[in-house]
Amino acid sequence: MAQRVAVGESAAGPKRTSRVRVAVRLRPYMDKQDVKAEGPCVRGLDSRRLEIINWRNATETLQYEFDVFHGEQTTQREVFVESVKPILRHILTGQNASVFAYGPTGAGKTHTMLGTSEEPGVIPRAVREVFSLVRAQQAQQDGWEYAISMSYLEIYNEKVLDLLCPSTQDLPIREDKDHNILIPGLTSTTLTSFSDFHTHFLPASLNRTTASTKLNQRSSRSHAILLIKVVRTRHGPPHRQQTGKLYLVDLAGSEDNRRTGNQGIRLKESGAINLSLFTLSKVVDALNGAPGTRVPYRDSKLTRLLQDSLGGSAHSVMVTNVAPEYRYYFDTFTALNFAAKSKQIVNRPFVRETLLQPTLTKGKRPREQGGSGSSEP
Ligand code: ADP
Ligand code: MG
């Protein structure tokens, strides 16, 4: 019998909690409907900070600092190398990791995670890297045998759905005696090469995108979760086995659904989405805040599933995607307040050096998207 070895966590002592690293990525300005030539309302300052116009007082900007800021010129490769690649080696030694893309619909989450065939995102690059790390270990003949597998699921309306076997219903999430979180009925497909991954992942992810246009932009309302597992086994006594998990998550849009005026069933969905995202924000806040704060993992499906791979001894990165156009202003503002390590009001007009939009310094306000309220500065 293989014996499970827990790494980085002692059964006796309290769990170490590690911070969630927060990166912010600003996508390029691309508003084709910008008839008023408003220009962007967000811009980068350096490799950790950005600023956004303060709509209450256009002679001020709000400056935010993060662990990393990826400006609009940042390539897919740079995002991967700086924010994701460093954590991947840990999953070969039985540790867990998670990467998730957060932010409003249209701000670049899917571009960051999935990308295109010309500009592949975090997911294909991470899977390729895991294969290359495993190959390198195998070449060293270190006495371990490695196996890589994938699962792909969606959390929609607080239901867990298997994207590799779409006929299954809501799957239950369980915890074993070693505090590993698992989904017993979930399809797990062994991968022997990167092209294997392509074969299984692409049709499933296309399914999801096609369905989304028919079903009220489902992709912006559900969390898509790819799990890559590396199991390594030592042959010969004492028969150790270690399992490392990597979660790659394209989260539901963080926009405030109350403001966009959804009704009926959509409102129910919004509530469920808000529960998972709201709980995620509380979990990340608790992990990054004062030590000893209770982490409310059990309050939603998403955080329950990620419990063993977010905080604790796991390595976690959140990439918050934001868009520079005015029509995203309030959702950008909310997302930045969640992601920021620090925030500062600075007395200088946003467009001081830009000659294109001189009206912006004259108390111009961004258009609100409907109602008002909680997301105001
Ligand atoms: P989300 O998944 O957050 O709703 P998408 O990833 O679909 O957003 O991005 C919205 C649009 O912006 C898409 O057309 C996408 O190709 C484009 N886009 C997003 N980020 C970038 C980027 N960094 N560079 C170029 N285009 C981008
Ligand atoms: Mg998307």
Short mmCIF file of all heavy atoms in Angstrom, two decimals, residues 108-133:
data_model
loop_
_atom_site.label_atom_id
_atom_site.label_comp_id
_atom_site.label_asym_id
_atom_site.label_seq_id
_atom_site.Cartn_x
_atom_site.Cartn_y
_atom_site.Cartn_z
N GLY A 108 -10.26 40.57 -19.81
CA GLY A 108 -9.12 39.78 -20.26
C GLY A 108 -8.81 38.52 -19.47
O GLY A 108 -7.71 37.97 -19.59
N LYS A 109 -9.76 37.99 -18.71
CA LYS A 109 -9.50 36.77 -17.94
C LYS A 109 -9.22 35.58 -18.85
O LYS A 109 -8.24 34.85 -18.67
CB LYS A 109 -10.71 36.42 -17.04
CG LYS A 109 -11.00 37.44 -15.95
CD LYS A 109 -12.17 37.01 -15.08
CE LYS A 109 -13.48 36.90 -15.84
NZ LYS A 109 -13.94 38.15 -16.44
N THR A 110 -10.10 35.37 -19.84
CA THR A 110 -9.92 34.21 -20.72
C THR A 110 -8.68 34.40 -21.60
O THR A 110 -7.96 33.45 -21.87
CB THR A 110 -11.20 33.99 -21.56
OG1 THR A 110 -12.31 33.85 -20.65
CG2 THR A 110 -11.09 32.75 -22.42
N HIS A 111 -8.43 35.63 -22.01
CA HIS A 111 -7.21 35.90 -22.77
C HIS A 111 -5.98 35.52 -21.93
O HIS A 111 -5.05 34.89 -22.43
CB HIS A 111 -7.16 37.37 -23.17
CG HIS A 111 -5.96 37.73 -24.01
ND1 HIS A 111 -5.89 37.43 -25.36
CD2 HIS A 111 -4.80 38.31 -23.68
CE1 HIS A 111 -4.73 37.84 -25.81
NE2 HIS A 111 -4.04 38.37 -24.83
N THR A 112 -6.00 35.91 -20.67
CA THR A 112 -4.87 35.59 -19.79
C THR A 112 -4.73 34.08 -19.57
O THR A 112 -3.64 33.54 -19.68
CB THR A 112 -5.04 36.31 -18.43
OG1 THR A 112 -4.97 37.72 -18.66
CG2 THR A 112 -3.95 35.91 -17.45
N MET A 113 -5.83 33.41 -19.28
CA MET A 113 -5.74 31.98 -18.93
C MET A 113 -5.59 31.09 -20.16
O MET A 113 -4.76 30.19 -20.19
CB MET A 113 -6.97 31.54 -18.13
CG MET A 113 -7.11 32.20 -16.76
SD MET A 113 -5.63 32.09 -15.72
CE MET A 113 -5.60 30.36 -15.30
N LEU A 114 -6.43 31.33 -21.17
CA LEU A 114 -6.46 30.44 -22.32
C LEU A 114 -5.68 31.04 -23.49
O LEU A 114 -4.87 30.38 -24.12
CB LEU A 114 -7.94 30.24 -22.71
CG LEU A 114 -8.26 29.12 -23.66
CD1 LEU A 114 -7.73 27.81 -23.11
CD2 LEU A 114 -9.79 29.05 -23.84
N GLY A 115 -5.94 32.30 -23.80
CA GLY A 115 -5.29 32.96 -24.92
C GLY A 115 -5.79 32.42 -26.25
O GLY A 115 -6.89 31.86 -26.32
N THR A 116 -4.97 32.59 -27.28
CA THR A 116 -5.33 32.12 -28.62
C THR A 116 -4.20 31.23 -29.11
O THR A 116 -3.18 31.12 -28.45
CB THR A 116 -5.48 33.32 -29.58
OG1 THR A 116 -4.22 34.02 -29.61
CG2 THR A 116 -6.55 34.29 -29.11
N SER A 117 -4.39 30.63 -30.29
CA SER A 117 -3.30 29.78 -30.78
C SER A 117 -2.06 30.62 -31.11
O SER A 117 -0.93 30.16 -30.95
CB SER A 117 -3.75 28.94 -31.98
OG SER A 117 -4.38 29.78 -32.91
N GLU A 118 -2.28 31.88 -31.53
CA GLU A 118 -1.12 32.76 -31.80
C GLU A 118 -0.49 33.26 -30.50
O GLU A 118 0.72 33.42 -30.41
CB GLU A 118 -1.52 33.99 -32.63
CG GLU A 118 -2.05 33.70 -34.03
CD GLU A 118 -3.49 33.21 -34.01
OE1 GLU A 118 -4.28 33.76 -33.21
OE2 GLU A 118 -3.80 32.26 -34.76
N GLU A 119 -1.35 33.53 -29.52
CA GLU A 119 -0.87 34.06 -28.24
C GLU A 119 -1.40 33.20 -27.10
O GLU A 119 -2.31 33.59 -26.38
CB GLU A 119 -1.37 35.49 -28.03
CG GLU A 119 -0.81 36.51 -28.99
CD GLU A 119 -1.33 37.90 -28.62
OE1 GLU A 119 -2.41 38.28 -29.09
OE2 GLU A 119 -0.65 38.57 -27.82
N PRO A 120 -0.81 32.00 -26.93
CA PRO A 120 -1.31 31.11 -25.89
C PRO A 120 -1.17 31.72 -24.50
O PRO A 120 -0.21 32.45 -24.22
CB PRO A 120 -0.45 29.85 -26.04
CG PRO A 120 0.69 30.23 -26.90
CD PRO A 120 0.32 31.44 -27.68
N GLY A 121 -2.13 31.43 -23.64
CA GLY A 121 -2.15 32.00 -22.30
C GLY A 121 -1.52 31.09 -21.26
O GLY A 121 -0.74 30.18 -21.57
N VAL A 122 -1.86 31.33 -20.00
CA VAL A 122 -1.27 30.64 -18.86
C VAL A 122 -1.52 29.13 -18.93
O VAL A 122 -0.60 28.34 -18.64
CB VAL A 122 -1.86 31.23 -17.55
CG1 VAL A 122 -1.63 30.31 -16.37
CG2 VAL A 122 -1.28 32.62 -17.29
N ILE A 123 -2.73 28.71 -19.30
CA ILE A 123 -3.06 27.28 -19.24
C ILE A 123 -2.15 26.44 -20.15
O ILE A 123 -1.46 25.54 -19.65
CB ILE A 123 -4.56 27.04 -19.52
CG1 ILE A 123 -5.38 27.48 -18.30
CG2 ILE A 123 -4.85 25.59 -19.90
CD1 ILE A 123 -6.89 27.45 -18.50
N PRO A 124 -2.11 26.70 -21.47
CA PRO A 124 -1.22 25.85 -22.28
C PRO A 124 0.25 25.97 -21.89
O PRO A 124 0.98 24.97 -21.90
CB PRO A 124 -1.45 26.36 -23.71
CG PRO A 124 -2.18 27.64 -23.60
CD PRO A 124 -2.90 27.63 -22.30
N ARG A 125 0.68 27.17 -21.48
CA ARG A 125 2.08 27.33 -21.10
C ARG A 125 2.40 26.56 -19.82
O ARG A 125 3.46 25.95 -19.69
CB ARG A 125 2.41 28.82 -20.88
CG ARG A 125 2.52 29.59 -22.18
CD ARG A 125 2.64 31.09 -21.93
NE ARG A 125 2.29 31.83 -23.13
CZ ARG A 125 3.16 32.18 -24.05
NH1 ARG A 125 4.44 31.89 -23.91
NH2 ARG A 125 2.76 32.83 -25.13
N ALA A 126 1.46 26.58 -18.86
CA ALA A 126 1.70 25.88 -17.59
C ALA A 126 1.74 24.38 -17.82
O ALA A 126 2.60 23.68 -17.26
CB ALA A 126 0.63 26.26 -16.57
N VAL A 127 0.83 23.86 -18.63
CA VAL A 127 0.80 22.41 -18.86
C VAL A 127 2.09 21.97 -19.57
O VAL A 127 2.71 20.97 -19.20
CB VAL A 127 -0.46 22.01 -19.66
CG1 VAL A 127 -0.43 20.53 -19.99
CG2 VAL A 127 -1.72 22.35 -18.87
N ARG A 128 2.51 22.76 -20.56
CA ARG A 128 3.77 22.45 -21.24
C ARG A 128 4.94 22.43 -20.26
O ARG A 128 5.79 21.54 -20.29
CB ARG A 128 4.01 23.52 -22.32
CG ARG A 128 4.81 23.03 -23.49
CD ARG A 128 5.00 24.16 -24.48
NE ARG A 128 4.03 24.17 -25.58
CZ ARG A 128 4.06 23.34 -26.61
NH1 ARG A 128 4.99 22.39 -26.68
NH2 ARG A 128 3.19 23.43 -27.58
N GLU A 129 4.95 23.41 -19.38
CA GLU A 129 6.04 23.51 -18.39
C GLU A 129 6.02 22.32 -17.42
O GLU A 129 7.07 21.79 -17.07
CB GLU A 129 5.92 24.85 -17.64
CG GLU A 129 6.91 25.05 -16.51
CD GLU A 129 8.35 25.25 -16.96
OE1 GLU A 129 8.59 25.41 -18.18
OE2 GLU A 129 9.23 25.22 -16.08
N VAL A 130 4.83 21.90 -17.00
CA VAL A 130 4.75 20.75 -16.09
C VAL A 130 5.33 19.52 -16.78
O VAL A 130 6.12 18.77 -16.18
CB VAL A 130 3.29 20.50 -15.62
CG1 VAL A 130 3.16 19.16 -14.92
CG2 VAL A 130 2.83 21.63 -14.70
N PHE A 131 4.99 19.32 -18.05
CA PHE A 131 5.57 18.18 -18.78
C PHE A 131 7.09 18.30 -18.85
O PHE A 131 7.80 17.32 -18.66
CB PHE A 131 4.98 18.09 -20.19
CG PHE A 131 3.75 17.23 -20.23
CD1 PHE A 131 2.50 17.81 -20.31
CD2 PHE A 131 3.86 15.85 -20.15
CE1 PHE A 131 1.35 17.01 -20.32
CE2 PHE A 131 2.72 15.05 -20.16
CZ PHE A 131 1.47 15.63 -20.24
N SER A 132 7.57 19.51 -19.08
CA SER A 132 9.02 19.63 -19.23
C SER A 132 9.73 19.44 -17.88
O SER A 132 10.80 18.82 -17.83
CB SER A 132 9.35 20.94 -19.96
OG SER A 132 10.01 21.82 -19.16
N LEU A 133 9.11 19.90 -16.79
CA LEU A 133 9.70 19.66 -15.47
C LEU A 133 9.73 18.17 -15.13
O LEU A 133 10.72 17.66 -14.60
CB LEU A 133 8.90 20.42 -14.39
CG LEU A 133 9.02 21.94 -14.37
CD1 LEU A 133 7.97 22.55 -13.44
CD2 LEU A 133 10.41 22.37 -13.94
#
